[in-house]
Amino acid sequence: MSDYQFINNYLEDFSQLLKPNDEIIESLIQIRDILLDAKKNRKKVLIFGNGGSSAIASHFTVDMTKNFNLPCLNFNEAALITCFANDYGYEHWVEKAVEFYGDDGDLIILISSSGNSENIVNAARVAKQLGIGIITFTGFKQDNPLKQEGNLNFWVDSRAYNIIENTHQIWLLMVCDLIIGKAEYSA
């Protein structure tokens, strides 16, 4: 395959995944409403991911906290991650962060391209026990373990990490714009 064909196919596949459909639009409006309720009820949002998904979590956290004044926390601090991973095991560090920082009625957003990240799936399970609402962003297999734990799930029908992560980022930042920047958007 030539470079030209690769780029054309890549962008074509990506644009097909981003094509609007009623299910995604309704889910994006639903996550917006959940975030509005969290702010109204003085709750906070915890958001986690690994690798690129962690960077997406950071971007979303900054936008929601700064522009919407919703307490949104991610846990990308090396000292916290390495401490919890050392003391509890890497597969449990996120669940321990949820236990320490999450409260009944809070919201957790969990991002895992595969939906199989053990530390993220364990966090969903403990969040459920603590009465924390769960929103997931996954890809790969539609019946992945993380998606099975969520209350509201966003799934990308792809096995390509960058396609999945870019789609997750667009969806999450679109929700930010839906809340805080709709008036500034002009097509």
Side-chain angles (χ1 to χ4, degrees):
M1 173 184 305
S2 73
D3 292 343
Y4 182 89
Q5 290 171 314
F6 172 82
I7 292 169
N8 186 65
N9 292 349
Y10 188 99
L11 292 174
E12 190 63 40
D13 289 346
F14 187 59
S15 66
Q16 287 301 312
L17 287 170
L18 289 176
K19 239 183 176 159
N21 68 58
D22 290 342
E23 181 181 348
I24 290 295
I25 291 170
E26 289 170 12
S27 294
L28 290 167
I29 292 168
Q30 189 175 356
I31 191 174
R32 186 263 332 254
D33 293 344
I34 291 168
L35 292 167
L36 291 171
D37 284 346
K39 182 177 179 177
K40 182 178 92 176
N41 294 318
R42 304 173 79 66
K43 298 298 180 180
K44 63 186 170 298
V45 177
L46 311 176
I47 182 167
F48 296 90
N50 294 312
S53 297
S54 179
I56 294 166
S58 291
H59 190 159
F60 181 80
T61 297
V62 169
D63 283 2
M64 292 308 294
T65 302
K66 176 182 166 246
N67 297 314
F68 186 53
N69 200 27
L70 172 64
C72 190
L73 308 166
N74 67 61
F75 298 84
N76 295 336
E77 182 183 337
L80 180 119
I81 294 169
T82 57
C83 172
F84 282 15
N86 183 63
D87 291 353
Y88 306 112
Y90 189 79
E91 68 278 8
H92 298 290
W93 86 262
V94 178
E95 89 184 66
K96 287 301 183 182
V98 173
E99 287 175 358
F100 279 103
Y101 293 97
D103 295 305
D104 183 45
D106 283 345
L107 176 66
I108 191 168
I109 299 173
L110 299 167
I111 309 167
S112 170
S113 292
S114 69
N116 291 316
S117 302
E118 193 174 0
N119 61 339
I120 303 296
V121 174
N122 287 338
R125 291 180 179 141
V126 78
K128 192 178 286 185
Q129 293 170 1
L130 296 173
I132 297 172
I134 305 165
I135 297 175
T136 70
F137 286 81
T138 64
F140 285 55
K141 292 182 180 178
Q142 190 168 11
D143 63 346
N144 66 69
L146 181 58
K147 187 175 179 230
Q148 293 177 25
E149 298 294 331
N151 304 113
L152 178 61
N153 303 289
F154 292 84
W155 175 72
V156 179
D157 187 9
S158 177
R159 291 185 168 272
Y161 279 98
N162 286 335
I163 294 283
I164 295 166
E165 288 174 347
N166 280 317
T167 304
H168 289 164
Q169 178 154 318
I170 287 172
W171 284 342
L172 279 165
L173 296 181
M174 184 185 313
V175 170
C176 290
D177 286 343
L178 185 60
I179 292 171
I180 60 181
K182 194 164 101 177
E184 296 175 7
Y185 175 79
S186 61

